[in-house]
Amino acid sequence: MALKLHNITKRFGSFTAVDELNLEIPEKQIFGFLGANGAGKTTTFRMILGLIDASEGDITWNDAAINYDKSHLIGYLPEERGLYPKLTVKDQLVYLGRLRGMNKQAILQELDKWLERFNVTEYRTKKIEELSKGNQQKIQFISAVIHKPQLLILDEPFSGLDPLNVELLKKAVIDMKNEGTSIVFSSHRMEHVEELCEHLCIMHKGSPVVHGSLKEVKRSFGKKNVVVHADFDVTYLKELPGVVKYKVVTGGCELQIENEQVAATIFDSLSGKGFVRTFDLEEPTLNDIFIEKVGASYE
Amino acid sequence: MLLMNKFMIIVGHTYTNRLKSKAFMITTLITLLFVMAFANLETIIGLFSGEDEEERVAVVEEGANLFEHLQGQLEPYESEVKVEKFEGTEQEAKDAVTDGDYVGVLSVSLAEDNIPQGTYYTEQISEYKVSSLLEQALQQLKVTVASQSAQVEQATINEIMSPVAFEKVSLKEDAKTEEELSQTRGLVYIMLFLLYFGVLMYGSMISTEVATEKSSRVMEILISSVSPVKQMFGKIFGIALLGLTQFGLIVLVGYIAVQQNKEFLDSTSISSYLGFSNIEISTLIYAIVFFLLGYMLYATIAAVLGSLVSRTEDAQQVMTPMILLIVVAFFLAMTGLSNPEATYVTVTSFIPLFTPMLMFLRVGMLEVPMWEVAISLVILVATIVALGIIGGRIYRGGVLLYGRSSSFKDIKKALQLTKKE
């Protein structure tokens, strides 16, 4: 079971977009696919969907290749959004839904449910071009999920949405997962990935630099963060051995440290100096990991 | 089963979406009005000319006494021009023209040898019909007068004036007779026009359709649901159905209109000129076959070209080479109409891009050996299949290709996208 990418390489002429990618994306979970622009995320998605062929390697889903016979089991939200500008929301989704193997009646039923859920029932008979960008995106999302796919691929699903709508869509994604859909999604926004994903992969120039479950990834990163808020001057902390990064914040500082032992040293050095309001040892954020893993090779 | 279904969904969507569009309804309506107007041409002309509208011409004679003869000559054309003897001077007659009583004044006099001559005064100097009728009548009169003075019998004159008997007979046994030829010529003519306009109109419809889906970026969702090749042919068939609907309507309305005006059309030469009365069934079948194949060929090219552009505005531009090809084929066929046995017609009728027009021209106008037709059909069908396969691949890559340029280099890029390397 699950979606397996085995030794996937994709070359466009002399340019290698994806380089020997091995991934196993578990069933009924949300898998985060991270990477800077041009890291090969969209290309990978297109290969999974069979829109383009991999130069090498193979992709299987439930031990079989994905082809158009299975398109009713798969949902896709492309990064470049687009619907028929001149068609109404209803006509649009009826057409796209039928192409995913649904019948008209079922589509209309599902459509009403989703429109209600996204608070956009009044747009049912409006043309797409009359809708705001955010609302178009909701319709686009509906088009990707209306047929209750087993595998859902979301390319940057939350970009360009206001925080309220991001929450609305996030909730929908989580509900889809709970109903048994396997979801792969890409994002630049680390906090979304952190919030939603059990497993993730950070792509850099076509290869995965980090890969695994969120907990593992954080644990194996080693470095941790320490937040100190104190009534006295704490700038001396940046000179301590094992402190990698130092950042002044109101009422104290945030430190990135080599490992957990350093935290103990810091704690000891702080004691007796005065009143410490906060001392917090935190797991590294995905943002830290991303910047380190991807940013390092930019330099 | 499921796959066939999706194909039909695309065909249906393309068809109904276009059918419901305002642009389609308006163009169809205008065409239908035009067809009805054409069938009722005589009634419409009659509306404008009215009954008392025959042109009155005043005739002033100076020393001649030819009015009776002139009137006699013009009698067959009574509905168009009517001469009246004007009692008065030439100046008075001209004044009457200025007042609007007459359309012009014909002043007839006798030159030496009693030969009649005339001057026609009118305000409508660009008007052609009346003056030429008058000139003809006077010419006849001159011949009569001149031959009478040379004492030639009227019977002899009639014999001199009557047209010579001339007939063209082919020495080839199965060639078409001149009569058959002129009948099929009309049909071929119409068919060439239909093919020309059909391919231009529906071809650009297809390429715009594809380009619109690309520019609105809905394409990526579509190709994740249905294979691009299926989409391409779905569009081609959808638009074909649309074309058949449009042509069907036109033929139906045209037929009804013609039936209602049967008397008029039978009495004039139009129907026999167009060759409706006596068409061979085989010619009709060829017309349909070549039309459909021609459509398939150019529609496939149009769809592929449409898949290469990123913006709808560029769709027309990328179509230009194809349109030029159709224009060339059309002109070859039009010039070939008067000389269907020319070598260039024979040669080009085997080039697949020209076959639909030129081979049809040949089978319509000549007795072409069956094997020649078969060869051209095989080449044409093979080309369509090859184009379908290659075009499908270009289409598949092209729809994922976005860029500012829309050059033909993109064909290479598009093909590269579908390759593994």
Side-chain angles (χ1 to χ4, degrees):
Chain A
M1 296 301 262
L3 182 65
K4 284 179 196 156
L5 280 73
H6 181 67
N7 261 332
I8 291 297
T9 299
K10 178 65 191 176
R11 285 184 289 269
F12 295 111
S14 58
F15 172 70
T16 306
V18 176
D19 197 10
E20 296 197 12
L21 177 63
N22 279 293
L23 276 185
E24 194 170 323
I25 295 170
E27 284 267 279
K28 300 178 186 183
Q29 289 193 0
I30 303 180
F31 187 92
F33 211 61
L34 294 167
N37 299 321
K41 291 170 294 183
T42 300
T43 304
T44 307
F45 286 166
R46 284 179 174 173
M47 283 189 287
I48 293 175
L49 291 162
L51 304 186
I52 49 179
D53 297 324
S55 308
E56 275 163 41
D58 50 60
I59 298 174
T60 56
W61 183 48
N62 299 342
D63 299 319
I66 292 180
N67 56 34
Y68 285 110
D69 293 338
K70 297 200 176 88
S71 84
H72 60 288
L73 301 173
I74 294 167
Y76 180 40
L77 179 77
E79 184 185 9
E80 293 283 356
R81 314 276 190 261
L83 296 162
Y84 290 101
K86 304 274 179 208
L87 282 190
T88 63
V89 169
K90 186 189 123 210
D91 288 349
Q92 189 111 229
L93 287 169
V94 166
Y95 180 51
L96 295 175
R98 288 181 73 201
L99 288 182
R100 292 282 188 195
M102 292 176 85
N103 64 42
K104 194 173 170 180
Q105 211 180 356
I107 296 168
L108 292 178
Q109 248 171 35
E110 282 296 306
L111 174 63
D112 287 338
K113 253 188 246 169
W114 279 105
L115 289 178
E116 209 156 301
R117 173 166 195 170
F118 287 160
N119 308 318
V120 285
T121 39
E122 69 271 30
Y123 298 134
R124 197 171 185 270
T125 52
K126 282 245 168 72
K127 284 182 185 169
I128 285 292
E129 59 186 358
E130 297 166 24
L131 267 57
S132 73
K133 231 183 156 192
N135 284 326
Q136 288 185 16
Q137 202 152 327
K138 288 181 191 168
I139 305 302
Q140 185 114 40
F141 183 83
I142 297 175
S143 82
V145 298
I146 194 163
H147 54 293
K148 295 182 181 145
Q150 291 180 16
L151 176 64
L152 178 59
I153 292 178
L154 306 169
D155 205 348
E156 303 280 352
F158 309 122
S159 68
L161 285 174
D162 65 52
L164 284 177
N165 285 324
V166 169
E167 283 313 307
L168 216 58
L169 247 66
K170 252 194 243 168
K171 182 93 194 349
V173 170
I174 292 170
D175 287 352
M176 292 287 294
K177 183 196 82 168
N178 291 338
E179 282 163 29
T181 303
S182 313
I183 299 164
V184 184
F185 91 98
S186 76
S187 183
H188 303 295
R189 304 287 298 273
M190 302 306 143
E191 68 270 25
H192 295 154
V193 180
E194 228 162 23
E195 194 181 334
L196 294 171
C197 300
E198 284 94 346
H199 286 79
L200 65 102
C201 161
I202 298 178
M203 293 282 286
H204 182 56
K205 290 187 177 168
S207 344
V209 284
V210 175
H211 174 209
S213 76
L214 188 62
K215 273 183 202 151
E216 260 171 57
V217 165
K218 286 193 170 182
R219 198 177 305 132
S220 67
F221 185 62
K223 292 174 187 160
K224 303 218 162 177
N225 293 341
V226 172
V227 180
V228 180
H229 290 168
D231 286 352
F232 52 91
D233 186 22
V234 291
T235 39
Y236 76 97
L237 287 176
K238 71 176 161 189
E239 310 298 337
L240 288 181
V243 174
V244 186
K245 278 184 195 155
Y246 176 85
K247 193 168 130 201
V248 180
V249 294
T250 327
C253 64
E254 279 174 24
L255 307 166
Q256 193 182 51
I257 56 170
E258 206 73 70
N259 51 47
E260 220 170 301
Q261 274 82 56
V262 183
T265 323
I266 295 172
F267 188 79
D268 287 343
S269 79
L270 285 172
S271 58
K273 288 223 165 59
F275 184 57
V276 177
R277 293 178 184 278
T278 314
F279 181 86
D280 195 3
L281 176 62
E282 289 175 346
E283 289 288 326
T285 63
L286 260 187
N287 211 33
D288 298 328
I289 300 173
F290 185 85
I291 288 173
E292 172 134 345
K293 295 287 183 184
V294 173
S297 46
Y298 277 128
E299 286 153 19
Chain B
M1 186 56 210
L2 189 71
L3 296 177
M4 198 58 212
N5 255 336
K6 283 188 184 174
F7 180 74
M8 291 318 293
I9 292 169
I10 293 171
V11 171
H13 177 80
T14 312
Y15 177 69
T16 49
N17 214 24
R18 277 277 171 182
L19 198 69
K20 282 191 291 184
S21 79
K22 280 194 197 105
F24 178 79
M25 287 187 186
I26 291 169
T27 45
T28 312
L29 210 68
I30 290 175
T31 322
L32 290 181
L33 285 176
F34 188 77
V35 168
M36 287 199 278
F38 184 74
N40 293 294
L41 210 55
E42 199 189 35
T43 329
I44 291 167
I45 292 171
L47 269 183
F48 287 107
S49 48
E51 268 181 41
D52 298 320
E53 283 291 304
E54 89 273 311
E55 312 280 17
R56 289 164 69 223
V57 173
V59 177
V60 181
E61 285 185 289
E62 283 172 28
N65 194 12
L66 294 164
F67 179 73
E68 314 272 283
H69 289 285
L70 197 63
Q71 205 173 25
Q73 289 289 348
L74 285 169
E75 216 167 349
Y77 308 102
E78 215 174 19
S79 61
E80 285 157 67
V81 62
K82 196 173 179 194
V83 285
E84 274 173 30
K85 197 168 171 66
F86 190 81
E87 307 291 349
T89 64
E90 194 179 301
Q91 192 51 48
E92 281 167 358
K94 284 179 190 167
D95 290 342
V97 172
T98 321
D99 292 344
D101 292 344
Y102 297 100
V103 67
V105 182
L106 178 67
S107 161
V108 182
S109 59
L110 292 178
E112 38 191 302
D113 304 338
N114 272 348
I115 299 295
Q117 61 182 19
T119 315
Y120 180 56
Y121 301 96
T122 180
E123 288 186 325
Q124 305 163 7
I125 199 71
S126 59
E127 200 280 334
Y128 172 72
K129 210 162 82 184
V130 171
S131 61
S132 68
L133 279 173
L134 291 174
E135 191 184 340
Q136 260 177 40
L138 219 53
Q139 174 73 29
Q140 282 287 334
L141 215 56
K142 183 191 143 185
V143 172
T144 315
V145 170
S147 41
Q148 267 169 7
S149 67
Q151 309 212 326
V152 183
E153 295 273 323
Q154 185 63 36
T156 320
I157 299 168
N158 288 349
E159 210 158 286
I160 293 170
M161 301 304 287
S162 71
V164 67
F166 184 80
E167 203 180 340
K168 223 158 99 183
V169 176
S170 171
L171 283 176
K172 284 188 195 161
E173 273 183 22
D174 48 4
K176 298 190 175 173
T177 64
E178 187 64 17
E179 195 185 356
E180 277 174 338
L181 256 187
S182 76
Q183 283 183 349
T184 30
R185 190 175 286 133
L187 180 74
V188 172
Y189 199 77
I190 288 181
M191 150 78 191
L192 288 176
F193 258 107
L194 285 184
L195 190 60
Y196 179 70
F197 283 113
V199 164
L200 277 188
M201 200 160 69
Y202 301 118
S204 65
M205 229 182 238
I206 290 173
S207 70
T208 335
E209 187 101 343
V210 176
T212 310
E213 281 179 358
K214 250 192 96 176
S215 72
S216 67
R217 301 268 180 172
V218 74
M219 191 58 105
E220 198 160 346
I221 303 185
L222 292 177
I223 57 169
S224 70
S225 317
V226 188
S227 88
V229 177
K230 198 168 288 167
Q231 276 182 61
M232 181 172 101
F233 285 107
K235 287 229 169 315
I236 291 174
F237 277 96
I239 298 287
L241 276 186
L242 188 81
L244 288 178
T245 311
Q246 203 166 28
F247 279 160
L249 270 176
I250 291 170
V251 169
L252 189 74
V253 169
Y255 181 75
I256 294 171
V258 166
Q259 286 298 313
Q260 281 177 345
N261 291 281
K262 215 167 180 335
E263 278 174 38
F264 154 64
L265 286 173
D266 281 347
S267 67
T268 60
S269 54
I270 292 180
S271 64
S272 62
Y273 173 72
L274 292 181
F276 290 141
S277 45
N278 192 14
I279 310 165
E280 280 179 57
I281 291 296
S282 67
T283 314
L284 264 183
I285 292 172
Y286 278 132
I288 292 168
V289 167
F290 279 111
F291 187 89
L292 290 180
L293 288 178
Y295 169 80
M296 277 300 289
L297 178 78
Y298 282 106
T300 312
I301 299 177
V304 171
L305 290 178
S307 78
L308 289 173
V309 298
S310 313
R311 299 181 308 152
T312 323
E313 303 87 77
D314 295 336
Q316 283 305 316
Q317 189 194 333
V318 84
M319 285 277 287
T320 315
M322 185 188 113
I323 291 173
L324 285 179
L325 272 177
I326 301 170
V327 171
V328 168
F330 184 68
F331 275 102
L332 281 177
M334 277 297 153
T335 48
L337 211 52
S338 54
N339 188 10
E341 279 173 282
T343 320
Y344 74 90
V345 176
T346 315
V347 172
T348 46
S349 69
F350 288 99
I351 300 174
L353 285 166
F354 301 140
T355 300
M357 286 190 186
L358 285 144
M359 190 48 103
F360 176 70
L361 166 79
R362 289 184 65 208
V363 293
M365 305 285 290
L366 312 167
E367 286 300 321
V368 183
M370 203 53 213
W371 63 268
E372 279 194 29
V373 183
I375 286 181
S376 79
L377 278 176
V378 167
I379 297 177
L380 181 57
V381 170
T383 311
I384 292 172
V385 171
L387 259 177
I389 293 168
I390 300 168
R393 286 189 52 194
I394 299 177
Y395 189 96
R396 192 174 158 217
V399 292
L400 283 177
L401 200 69
Y402 285 93
R404 214 175 292 171
S405 76
S406 57
S407 66
F408 286 88
K409 276 183 217 151
D410 287 346
I411 293 179
K412 208 180 129 200
K413 276 199 230 158
L415 277 173
Q416 217 169 41
L417 254 179
T418 63
K419 271 194 276 181
K420 287 197 153 214
E421 291 297 316

